[in-house]
Amino acid sequence: MFETSLKVLSLTTAIAIATGSVAQAGAMEDLVAAAKKEGTLTTIALPHDWCNYGGAIEGFKKKYGIAVNELNPDAGSGDEIEAIKANKGNTGPQAPDVIDVGLSFGPQAKKDGLIQPYKVSTWAEIPDTAKDAEGYWYGDYYGVMSLLVNKDLVKNIPKDWADLQKPEYANMVALAGDPRQANQAISGVFAAGLSASNGDVGKAADAGLEFFKSLNAAGNFVPVIGKAAPFAQGTTPIIAAWDYNAMSWGESLKGNPPYQVVVPASGVVAGVYVQAISAYAPHPNAAKLWMEYLYSDEGQIEWLKGFCHPIRFNAMAKAGKIPADLLAKLPPAEAYAKAVFPTLEEQAAYKKTITEGWDKVVGANVK
């Protein structure tokens, strides 16, 4: 499928696009033409209020005139991988072209032959530690696990994970996803465990499961996926979520209810998400153009508008490319001073422990 899609291009341009040397080869116009001929990009698991993906999608459509078919916006990383597997022989609208998943999902997807390599024009500004050397997956943005708190219902704002065990938080605490498959929820369990284990990464997954077992037994845990709507309704007054989601959801409610985003005093876990193109993408050129857009200055700033730290943040800041008003909206830098960036090996280990152990240890069916 990949080779067939490139027949509309010259051999030189095809090689340039395949190797990620679009800008250097002067092939961007040819890529745009090939993508427009395909006419559609199919995405999955991109809520509009997650990192301002709504703005990014509209910006892409307006700039290139390519339709975007959005599948299951509320899906988790595991769902995205399964969608590729389920649609290997399908070129219809249910087959995703691109995915945005937690870092630990990238290497496994490469190993399983589910994604194809592509290096964007700004490849050199993506840190080596946040990308596959061969271009199969690459970091896009990052943030830290935080607590979104409904100030109308929560009178004493929790300052750390341990506070959530207090009786005053009965029926209040939720995760932003199903911890059996969603990276954001898995990271929330891990962060709580990292705090409970005094920073011992090796013990954090089991400690996190025990933490939520206790939270559930005490009646403090709410088995509802936390996001803007249940937060506003009072169903999930405290949500463990990435800071950018927490801020975006709070802002979207325009003060009703008033909210506060807390970066916990301990167990501060940073998470990097990664982009990749499906090995079976029905629209591979549109997928590559989407990547070029997201990793351009324009695309990176769209993510920043959604309170996410784009992967090229440091390089763009050094070059003076980041608007001051956007910088001013981010939490103070000292809140991130204790942030732990788990390695791929560590992530793979705690993801396995948490996803396989949740039902047995905690027993709460999050949905």
Side-chain angles (χ1 to χ4, degrees), residues 9 39 58 60 91 95-96 102 108 130 135 154 182 203 208 213 232 247 254 315 343 353:
L9 308 173
E58 288 306 311
F60 178 77
T91 59
Q108 187 61 49
V154 181
K203 297 179 180 179
K213 175 183 179 180
M247 287 183 278
K254 303 184 185 303
T343 66
T353 298

Side-chain angles (χ1 to χ4, degrees), residues 3 7 17 28 36 42 75 121 183 198 224 279 282 309 326 332 337 361:
E3 293 176 356
K7 288 179 180 178
I17 291 174
M28 189 65 179
K36 286 187 174 181
T42 297
S121 302
N183 183 66
N198 296 313
V224 173
H309 283 72
L326 292 183
V361 178

Side-chain angles (χ1 to χ4, degrees), residues 50-57 59 122 125 140-141 244 291-317 319-327 329-330:
W50 178 300
C51 289
N52 188 40
Y53 259 118
I57 290 170
T122 53
E125 291 188 355
D140 43 20
Y141 51 81
Y244 45 81
M291 296 304 174
E292 291 290 347
Y293 178 78
L294 291 179
Y295 288 86
S296 68
D297 292 351
E298 183 179 352
Q300 296 278 288
I301 287 175
E302 287 292 349
W303 275 330
L304 192 59
K305 288 178 181 178
F307 307 106
C308 294
H309 283 72
I311 203 67
R312 294 178 52 229
F313 183 87
N314 290 341
M316 290 178 66
K321 294 180 176 179
I322 299 179
D325 62 323
L326 292 183
L327 285 174
K329 292 181 179 180
L330 298 175

